[in-house]
Amino acid sequence: MGKVTSKLWSKGVIGGFGLPAMKTELEPLASWSRQAVVERYQNSLDCPSRAVDRKTFCMLFDDFPSPDHARQAFAALNPSKKGCVDACTVFAAMAAVSDQCFISRMSLLFSIFDLDGNGTLNKAELYIGMRSLFIGLHAFYGNTELPTKAELEEAVNEVFAQIDYDKSGSLTIGEFLVFAYRCRPLQEMIAKLEFENQEVHENVVPFNRFGATGEETSRVSPRPSLFIDEPGGLPGASQQRQSSVRTSTAAGRRQSRNGAMKPSSMRSTVPSDMTKAKAWLLWKFFEKLAIGEDTIEADDLRNVLKDDKAAKAQLVGITEQAKLTGEPVAAGEGAKEDAEHVRIRGIGVLDFAREVEELSKIMLRALQAGESQNRLALLGSCPVSLRSFLCVTLPLSPPHVEACIGWCISFKAAEVLKAVFSDKVPREKDLELLFKVLDADQNNSLALDELVEMGHIPKEQAEEFFKGMDRNGSGDIDMAELKKHVASKALKTSLR
């Protein structure tokens, strides 16, 4: 990858002249917002062909000051002998030069490259996408060096083999983003392109390619249930399981007890002892630095990760707070009855001293190797998301990262559900996350059995909850009814 990415800007950067200047005619197509690129690309999908002629181009891009400016821009895109430009080439370049941070550009490029709309990339799609990106940037900047067909094929084969961790023959958005967060050549190539918007988008955009569309969605982690009192297994491995089959086999019971993330197909050489308890500590570590937000300031994370003592101090602080809210372990529960062993709902019994020591050692190894600081440096001023945090601070494989994120989603949803049943008022985005986790059949409504089984709530309590929320008497709860219930609770709280 480094060979082809560095070659693109070689005439300017290596020569010491910086990034080549963008063609003046194409400047109106640069620095668009994510939403603007998404909407215009969706419009382009209604065109009868991906080969766009000048007339279609001028109709599609009516933002130019005049028709003459639009015609000049079309000519600057190096149309073929047939007088057409490839729409994917134009929009891949527009995504790369849009007003977005690095990883948001990557998730949008993934969505554009996903030509069959199935939420994954096969090798052909990755090759077509990367070729479109390079040709598009070459058209936008002119004085750039394109990789040869052989060089690009070699790079795509190498990258695909590296990203396709489970050897499934297709890349998920999770695998793609983990690679992007850790690929120095790719980040350096895109870092040349300026942006102002700091929002982080890591989701697939499900474009309406074949008559079905929707809002931006995450096709990353398995959907977790809130049956998180079982400490073992990957989150969401059984989305609609019944309580009678939670751990029906001896193997399942053994996995439930040890809680290690060890999928049978995983070629892992990195921490095989990454348990749900460690995922919980990492989540709390992230939440503490995020201070109620969804991202961490990069400088704040750099300061904490300057040395292992600072990182360990954060983990110790988290455990001390957890001990105040956890339940003491009774004698005979398989752990010593002391201050270090505490039962945390959704996690099980935590041996804080051991978990903190093991996790801090893993983080220390990454710090000593310089990996964490190098990856943080590549992020620059971009906010650090949970996925980014896991990618840059720990040597986790893509399946480990996705498993941790799935667990963290279940931890967060459990907290939100607890708030809904209390006097606390959750944020709207947190309610939406909770709704998605509870909605096992994904029909945009919650049935009583979903609340009981996915939320791990006693049936009597769930029935009482439904009575006060099912305003239209449909027998289900939709998102609007959940939000109205919380809004009503917030109003009553403010009037007290």
Side-chain angles (χ1 to χ4, degrees):
M1 175 60 79
K3 183 178 180 181
V4 295
T5 55
S6 61
K7 185 175 183 178
L8 181 70
W9 306 127
S10 60
K11 289 186 178 180
V13 177
I14 295 180
F17 305 107
L19 184 69
M22 183 183 293
K23 293 178 181 177
T24 306
E25 302 92 330
L26 296 175
E27 288 179 356
L29 298 181
S31 300
W32 285 30
S33 69
R34 181 185 184 87
Q35 187 61 30
V37 177
V38 167
E39 290 176 356
R40 200 59 58 90
Y41 182 69
Q42 182 62 65
N43 291 343
S44 78
L45 294 174
D46 294 331
C47 297
S49 172
R50 305 311 293 149
V52 177
D53 60 22
R54 190 177 68 182
K55 181 180 178 181
T56 304
F57 178 86
C58 293
M59 292 176 59
L60 190 59
F61 295 100
D62 55 0
D63 316 81
F64 291 94
S66 69
D68 189 51
H69 283 87
R71 288 191 289 269
Q72 291 174 14
F74 182 81
L77 287 168
N78 306 324
S80 65
K81 292 180 180 179
K82 294 183 179 180
C84 295
V85 296
D86 178 56
C88 190
T89 294
V90 176
F91 281 99
M94 287 181 65
V97 300
S98 60
D99 184 21
Q100 300 186 89
C101 66
F102 167 74
I103 208 64
S104 297
R105 290 167 171 170
M106 291 299 103
S107 66
L108 183 52
L109 284 169
F110 181 97
S111 305
I112 292 173
F113 295 172
D114 180 19
L115 300 178
D116 60 7
N118 71 347
T120 63
L121 299 183
N122 57 37
K123 190 181 293 186
E125 288 175 321
L126 182 63
Y127 175 82
I128 293 170
M130 292 302 295
R131 180 175 177 272
S132 297
L133 175 61
F134 282 111
I135 293 176
L137 289 174
H138 177 68
F140 269 55
Y141 288 91
N143 190 28
T144 54
E145 189 75 20
L146 279 175
T148 65
K149 181 180 179 181
E151 288 173 336
L152 187 57
E153 286 181 348
E154 181 183 354
V156 168
N157 288 334
E158 177 187 337
V159 167
F160 195 91
Q162 184 178 348
I163 304 180
D164 186 20
Y165 198 87
D166 60 4
K167 302 305 176 187
S168 64
S170 61
L171 308 181
T172 65
I173 182 67
E175 290 173 323
F176 187 78
L177 294 182
V178 170
F179 169 79
Y181 271 125
R182 293 172 174 173
C183 181
R184 187 183 189 95
L186 184 59
Q187 292 196 34
E188 289 179 339
M189 182 184 88
I190 300 298
K192 309 298 180 186
L193 310 173
E194 296 181 352
F195 68 95
E196 293 182 0
N197 192 304
Q198 296 278 334
E199 293 179 4
V200 175
H201 297 275
E202 297 177 330
N203 295 335
V204 173
V205 181
F207 290 110
N208 181 11
R209 298 179 187 273
F210 310 106
T213 188
E215 295 182 357
E216 214 166 304
T217 181
S218 172
R219 303 173 189 252
V220 181
S221 305
R223 296 177 67 256
S225 79
L226 296 190
F227 279 119
I228 53 178
D229 281 327
E230 304 171 55
L234 293 175
S238 177
Q239 297 175 2
Q240 302 182 44
R241 56 189 165 176
Q242 302 295 322
S243 57
S244 61
V245 294
R246 288 187 205 167
T247 50
S248 58
T249 64
R253 288 192 292 273
R254 285 195 296 273
Q255 186 184 29
S256 246
R257 285 197 294 269
N258 62 38
M261 300 195 307
K262 298 179 181 178
S264 58
S265 63
M266 187 176 293
R267 303 179 293 107
S268 179
T269 58
V270 292
S272 59
D273 57 349
M274 179 56 66
T275 61
K276 182 182 285 188
K278 289 185 179 65
W280 183 81
L281 285 169
L282 286 167
W283 173 63
K284 284 295 183 182
F285 185 104
F286 178 86
E287 289 245 312
K288 186 174 181 180
L289 292 179
I291 317 176
E293 299 297 327
D294 297 323
T295 57
I296 303 172
E297 292 296 326
D299 287 341
D300 292 343
L301 185 56
R302 289 189 191 96
N303 289 335
V304 173
L305 296 179
K306 282 181 179 177
D307 57 68
D308 61 306
K309 292 182 180 179
K312 188 172 182 179
Q314 289 282 346
L315 293 171
V316 170
I318 291 166
T319 61
E320 292 303 318
Q321 290 181 353
K323 289 175 190 177
L324 299 177
T325 59
E327 303 170 6
V329 178
E333 287 195 67
K336 293 187 290 186
E337 189 174 0
D338 58 33
E340 290 300 324
H341 288 79
V342 178
R343 178 180 297 279
I344 302 296
R345 178 172 173 76
I347 307 299
V349 176
L350 270 178
D351 179 350
F352 281 120
R354 179 176 62 82
E355 297 289 0
V356 169
E357 189 64 29
E358 290 180 356
L359 186 54
S360 59
K361 283 181 179 178
I362 294 171
M363 297 177 76
L364 174 59
R365 285 198 295 268
L367 286 168
Q368 289 177 334
E371 294 175 0
S372 296
Q373 296 295 350
N374 290 339
R375 289 170 180 167
L376 275 172
L378 285 174
L379 289 176
S381 61
C382 291
V384 180
S385 66
L386 176 61
R387 175 176 283 103
S388 175
F389 167 71
L390 295 173
C391 288
V392 302
T393 59
L394 293 164
L396 297 176
S397 67
H400 279 103
V401 171
E402 298 314 307
C404 276
I405 290 173
W407 275 329
C408 291
I409 289 173
S410 67
F411 301 152
K412 182 66 177 181
E415 277 196 355
V416 177
L417 185 60
K418 184 178 179 180
V420 169
F421 276 91
S422 70
D423 292 333
K424 296 180 180 179
V425 180
R427 299 180 302 173
E428 185 170 311
K429 64 172 66 176
D430 292 337
L431 283 176
E432 292 170 354
L433 178 145
L434 172 64
F435 194 92
K436 288 180 180 179
V437 170
L438 294 178
D439 186 16
D441 57 11
Q442 301 182 58
N443 69 343
N444 296 318
S445 65
L446 300 182
L448 180 64
D449 61 343
E450 287 177 321
L451 189 58
V452 172
E453 295 178 18
M454 301 299 288
H456 207 192
I457 298 172
K459 187 174 181 179
E460 297 77 12
Q461 187 179 9
E463 287 175 342
E464 187 66 29
F465 188 65
F466 252 65
K467 287 180 183 178
M469 203 180 308
D470 184 15
R471 296 171 182 254
N472 60 12
S474 65
D476 291 329
I477 297 172
D478 59 29
M479 189 69 228
E481 288 174 321
L482 178 60
K483 288 181 179 178
K484 285 180 182 178
H485 171 79
V486 172
S488 175
K489 184 173 67 171
L491 179 61
K492 290 178 182 178
T493 301
S494 66
L495 294 176
R496 288 177 185 173

